[in-house]
Amino acid sequence: MYQWRWAESEQAHRRAISLEPTNAFSHMAYPILCTLLGRHDEALSHAGKAVELDPLDLMTNFRLVQANYYARCYDEAVRTGRIAIELTPDSPYTYFYLALSLAAVGLKDEAWSCANTGKKLNDGLPLGEGYFGYLAGVLGHTVEARSVIVELQARRRRDYGPALPIAWTYLGLGETASALEWLDTALAEHEPYMGSLIAFPGYDSIRDQAKFMRLTRELKLST
């Protein structure tokens, strides 16, 4: 999947579930592919099944929050996110997705609090920094968002660092031209999380732009 080989990934996921239909991990792993291909009902079904099979697991609970957020079921993402954090309070990505969902329903103060907790738990990993940068931008914390960009660009000068988190942060700031330039870079560098183009609600504001549509075509995804 992260090599953008969608058909092969589909076959592998379906085979894993058919071989072990009560394996929570197989149901947990499949929703992200379904989401990237725009099949949100299917993603939610398998994510819910994963939680049913392993209700205390960090990843099954996270995947249900993520699937709800990508499906634009923001109220449900908030509800399941709060439950997930009670069960697994040390997961930075659960905090980030809860923050994204809270921001989507207008609970900005709580969203910012969750974003900062996620950043503390994230320990500087680039993908998490990108989520924090995006949230800082959309929630009006411009100084913090620009600090993320400065740090991530500095990392790229010192060593390899992914371009996608930089694109997300510019997107949060509303600087779409810069965001699209960094998405181009991420595509050229074949970054695995580029598949999020079809699903991440943050891209909704630029889906009708020619450069964005070209990017999705190159990924063989449909907008």
Side-chain angles (χ1 to χ4, degrees):
M1 180 175 67
Y2 292 118
Q3 296 176 358
W4 310 347
R5 291 154 60 181
W6 313 113
E8 291 175 54
S9 180
E10 179 85 40
Q11 292 173 2
H13 280 293
R14 288 186 176 275
R15 179 168 172 75
I17 291 171
S18 68
L19 289 172
E20 293 189 84
T22 59
N23 185 314
F25 182 86
S26 297
H27 288 281
M28 179 278 298
Y30 191 33
I32 188 63
L33 177 66
C34 294
T35 292
L36 298 184
L37 297 176
R39 298 182 346 230
H40 296 293
D41 289 344
E42 199 172 347
L44 288 167
S45 175
H46 283 281
K49 183 65 174 179
V51 171
E52 177 186 324
L53 291 167
D54 194 346
L56 301 180
D57 182 70
L58 183 155
M59 282 304 301
T60 61
N61 281 279
F62 163 72
R63 192 68 79 207
L64 184 57
V65 180
Q66 183 187 50
N68 273 295
Y69 173 70
Y70 281 147
R72 280 72 170 169
C73 300
Y74 299 126
D75 289 330
E76 186 64 10
V78 169
R79 187 188 71 81
T80 55
R82 287 174 172 156
I83 292 171
I85 281 173
E86 287 183 13
L87 294 171
T88 57
D90 56 350
S91 168
Y93 292 102
T94 304
Y95 275 99
F96 287 136
Y97 274 86
L98 177 56
L100 289 165
S101 305
L102 288 163
V105 299
L107 298 175
K108 294 185 177 182
D109 290 343
E110 189 179 354
W112 185 233
S113 176
C114 285
N116 278 281
T117 302
K119 180 176 174 61
K120 290 175 185 175
L121 292 169
N122 180 60
D123 200 26
L125 295 176
L127 195 66
E129 290 297 298
Y131 284 123
F132 177 79
Y134 173 81
L135 283 158
V138 298
L139 293 171
H141 298 274
T142 305
V143 172
E144 289 85 349
R146 295 206 180 280
S147 294
V148 170
I149 291 170
V150 169
E151 171 57 26
L152 292 177
Q153 289 180 333
R155 290 189 199 183
R156 283 180 65 86
R157 289 192 294 270
R158 293 192 305 266
D159 197 357
Y160 172 76
L164 196 55
I166 300 173
W168 288 345
T169 305
Y170 275 121
L171 193 62
L173 287 165
E175 298 179 16
T176 56
S178 294
L180 286 164
E181 286 178 14
W182 281 99
L183 286 173
D184 242 343
T185 300
L187 182 71
E189 295 177 358
H190 208 92
E191 292 188 18
Y193 290 96
M194 280 295 286
S196 67
L197 289 188
I198 194 63
F200 186 51
Y203 294 128
D204 290 351
S205 62
I206 58 173
R207 289 192 187 280
D208 60 350
Q209 296 200 23
K211 182 177 280 191
F212 186 87
M213 290 189 282
R214 175 182 60 78
L215 290 168
T216 60
R217 284 196 299 272
E218 293 193 33
L219 282 166
K220 297 182 173 62
L221 294 172
S222 169
T223 56

